[in-house]
Amino acid sequence: MILQETVEAINSLILVKMIKCSDLNSAHENEREEKKLLKYNLSDGRKKVVGITTSIIQTRKNQKNLKGTVHSLDTAIVCRGNSNFEQIPTSDLVPGDVILIPSNGCELQCDAVLLSGNCIVNESMLT
């Protein structure tokens, strides 16, 4: 009787040890999976940071280039009445101004409508 109880006690201890070992293996597997997931998330986060940073740098360069183009100091001949023409800086142009395009050509940093005559436009410069 004592021998049987001892054997049962030993068997139950062995069973408990086996359960603890399987729990321990599951814990190690979970830990490995968590590490893999953490590595993936860190890698993904780095990619996003690099992408956003690159986008911000490129946008800033484009803004500086555009600002340099807009602030160029050209002049335009504007019609202020029937035969009253005046030469003004292009920065002073306002909507509704009628400008004279010279026959030898020019670069305009503004939107315009051609009222009469012919014009050749470099469409690659349009943004």
Side-chain angles (χ1 to χ4, degrees):
M1 186 86 156
I2 296 176
L3 183 61
Q4 186 178 0
E5 289 175 3
T6 306
V7 170
E8 287 177 6
I10 291 173
N11 284 340
S12 65
L13 284 174
I14 291 172
L15 184 62
V16 168
K17 290 273 188 194
M18 289 175 59
I19 292 172
K20 285 185 180 180
C21 285
S22 68
D23 287 346
L24 192 57
N25 287 336
S26 295
H28 285 301
E29 288 175 15
N30 288 341
E31 189 176 317
R32 283 187 210 121
E33 291 297 321
E34 287 175 3
K35 284 182 181 179
K36 285 181 185 178
L37 187 60
L38 179 63
K39 284 180 183 178
Y40 173 78
N41 286 336
L42 288 174
S43 174
D44 190 46
R46 282 188 214 115
K47 289 176 187 175
K48 288 179 180 180
V49 167
V50 168
I52 291 170
T53 302
T54 303
S55 176
I56 289 170
I57 290 169
Q58 188 62 44
T59 301
R60 186 70 182 133
K61 283 181 183 178
N62 292 343
Q63 287 175 341
K64 285 181 180 179
N65 289 339
L66 183 61
K67 192 173 187 178
T69 302
V70 170
H71 287 293
S72 62
L73 297 175
D74 290 333
T75 59
I77 301 170
V78 180
C79 180
R80 296 287 187 205
N82 290 339
S83 60
N84 186 14
F85 290 93
E86 182 180 337
Q87 190 167 4
I88 64 168
T90 54
S91 59
D92 292 343
L93 287 174
V94 294
D97 280 346
V98 177
I99 57 174
L100 177 67
I101 299 175
S103 59
N104 62 346
C106 66
E107 285 187 23
L108 297 174
Q109 287 89 22
C110 65
D111 293 335
V113 175
L114 186 63
L115 298 177
S116 64
N118 294 320
C119 180
I120 297 174
V121 177
N122 181 359
E123 293 182 16
S124 66
M125 298 293 289
L126 300 175
T127 57

